[in-house]
Amino acid sequence: MDLAYVWFWLIAFFFVGYFVLDGFDFGVGMTLPFLGRDDVSRRQVINTIGPVWDLNETWLIVAGACLFASFPEWYASLFSGFYLPLLVILLALILRGVSFEYRHQREDAAWKARFDRMIVIGSVVPAFLWGVAFGNIVQGVPLNADHVHVGGVFALLNPYALLVGVTTLLLFFVHGVYFVALKTDGRVQADARRLAKFAAAPTVLVSAGTVLWTIALAAGREAPALWLVIAGGAVAAVALVASVRFTVRERDGRAFAAGVVTVLFAVVMLFAALFPYVLPSTIADANSLTLENASSTPYTLQIMSWTALVALPLVIAYQAWTYWVFRKRVTRRSIEAAPAHA
């Protein structure tokens, strides 16, 4: 098999890892206004992701580096055409990271409240804009013959992309709520379960719209992996409904696991709808970037493949070990007993 095809799906795998892991990070950050009734509750929510949030973002770095090395033409067109939204995502991620580190540096309530708002903003913005970006990648953008995006920033704010953005926002939100319910106890856990039930209906409705629209796009393009688009969308939909049923029954672990499956197959659906393009052109099909005209040389892909074969298992093992170490619940009693700056 052509290594360009292998690396297309490897990049999909890296983005699956990123959206599954950093997705619930974003969701946890977005729950602060709803679950943080007092400072102890807010610290309890934040501490659920405190040991892992920066590790989760490793997947984005790996995905970006592999994209640059394996598909340089795709990387160049993507980062030039999507420069502003990607810059906003980067600034939001910086804002969120700084807030986690500086929130506890003072006991002043106003100081903490400012950083709490920054955590929320730094979670909402990437959750929405990543969906907008991938919606445009799947649908296609106006690329000229030199593979340069000529549509401007506002062309990215089209109905399909905005719908995908709202979908990722809601999916990450409920994914984070499930994680908080799984990792906490007491009032925060009870509030998280209620919040998940409240957010279920709009999330299911919006996600269903995205699945149907994506299938229609892939069918109109006569995508060779249409069967995978349909299967991925169907599994994601069933898993999302199952996650709601599990949270109603207060089966937090199963609800979170179903949320993982939902995000996983939603990303698979998007990449399957894109295949074998990497960035379609809405001006002319001849201007589109495909696996053939956007990939690196076979020798480069061979070197990358051997490197990935060695490094990827180590990354996965280290991440699994980290989650195992920090597997216990963050209880209210442990927060109350800890120093205020913890």
Side-chain angles (χ1 to χ4, degrees):
M1 180 184 290
D2 191 332
L3 284 178
Y5 289 74
V6 174
W7 273 98
F8 176 85
W9 291 110
L10 274 175
I11 288 172
F13 172 78
F14 293 137
F15 274 107
V16 164
Y18 175 63
F19 286 136
V20 166
L21 297 175
D22 222 22
F24 73 73
D25 271 5
F26 295 145
V28 170
M30 287 187 275
T31 64
L32 274 180
F34 306 99
L35 303 180
R37 297 190 180 186
D38 52 35
D39 186 59
V40 174
S41 297
R42 288 188 287 273
R43 287 168 59 199
Q44 193 176 0
V45 170
I46 292 171
N47 283 10
T48 61
I49 58 173
V52 298
W53 68 267
D54 48 354
L55 180 62
N56 292 342
E57 292 184 353
T58 303
W59 288 85
L60 176 60
I61 298 171
V62 173
C66 290
L67 183 64
F68 171 77
S70 57
F71 297 98
E73 193 76 18
W74 185 13
Y75 181 94
S77 297
L78 187 62
F79 275 77
S80 60
F82 292 54
Y83 181 82
L84 183 57
L86 291 176
L87 176 62
V88 173
I89 290 174
L90 176 61
L91 293 176
L93 293 177
I94 293 172
L95 190 73
R96 190 172 68 115
V98 168
S99 301
F100 285 137
E101 298 298 333
Y102 279 82
R103 181 189 185 276
H104 63 269
Q105 297 299 325
R106 291 184 185 178
E107 293 306 310
D108 180 53
W111 170 275
K112 292 184 177 182
R114 283 194 292 270
F115 283 110
D116 287 343
R117 286 192 292 270
M118 289 166 63
I119 290 173
V120 175
I121 295 170
S123 301
V124 170
V125 171
F128 174 69
L129 287 183
W130 276 124
V132 172
F134 270 84
N136 278 286
I137 292 171
V138 172
Q139 180 177 243
V141 295
L143 291 179
N144 64 17
D146 295 321
H147 301 149
V148 176
H149 181 272
V150 294
V153 174
F154 291 105
L156 301 176
L157 304 178
N158 55 79
Y160 175 72
L162 292 175
L163 178 63
V164 179
V166 174
T167 302
T168 55
L169 179 71
L170 291 174
L171 282 179
F172 292 165
F173 180 76
V174 296
H175 195 30
V177 174
Y178 295 153
F179 188 73
V180 172
L182 176 65
K183 291 285 289 181
T184 60
D185 67 349
R187 185 170 63 188
V188 171
Q189 184 186 54
D191 289 346
R193 287 169 175 168
R194 282 193 293 269
L195 184 59
K197 297 171 189 176
F198 178 79
T203 304
V204 170
L205 289 175
V206 172
S207 300
T210 297
V211 168
L212 294 175
W213 198 336
T214 303
I215 292 173
L217 280 176
R221 191 182 291 160
E222 297 182 354
L226 179 60
W227 65 272
L228 185 56
V229 179
I230 297 173
V235 173
V238 171
L240 179 59
V241 173
S243 72
V244 176
R245 290 178 60 85
F246 285 135
T247 198
V248 168
R249 298 176 182 177
E250 298 185 355
R251 305 296 295 270
D252 301 315
R254 294 187 179 184
F256 179 72
V260 169
V261 174
T262 301
V263 176
L264 188 160
F265 279 93
V267 178
V268 169
M269 176 190 70
L270 293 175
F271 272 88
L274 179 62
F275 181 84
Y277 295 93
V278 293
L279 192 59
S281 173
T282 56
I283 296 176
D285 191 60
N287 299 346
S288 298
L289 287 172
T290 66
L291 293 175
E292 284 76 15
N293 65 15
S295 65
S296 294
T297 64
Y299 181 66
T300 300
L301 296 178
Q302 288 176 16
I303 294 176
M304 291 179 60
S305 299
W306 284 110
T307 303
L309 190 63
V310 174
L312 187 57
L314 297 177
V315 172
I316 295 174
Y318 177 71
Q319 185 123 37
W321 176 79
T322 302
Y323 274 92
W324 175 255
V325 170
F326 295 103
R327 66 189 180 277
K328 293 183 179 180
R329 290 184 184 272
V330 181
T331 64
R332 187 174 182 87
R333 179 179 296 179
S334 67
I335 296 296
E336 291 173 336
H341 64 272

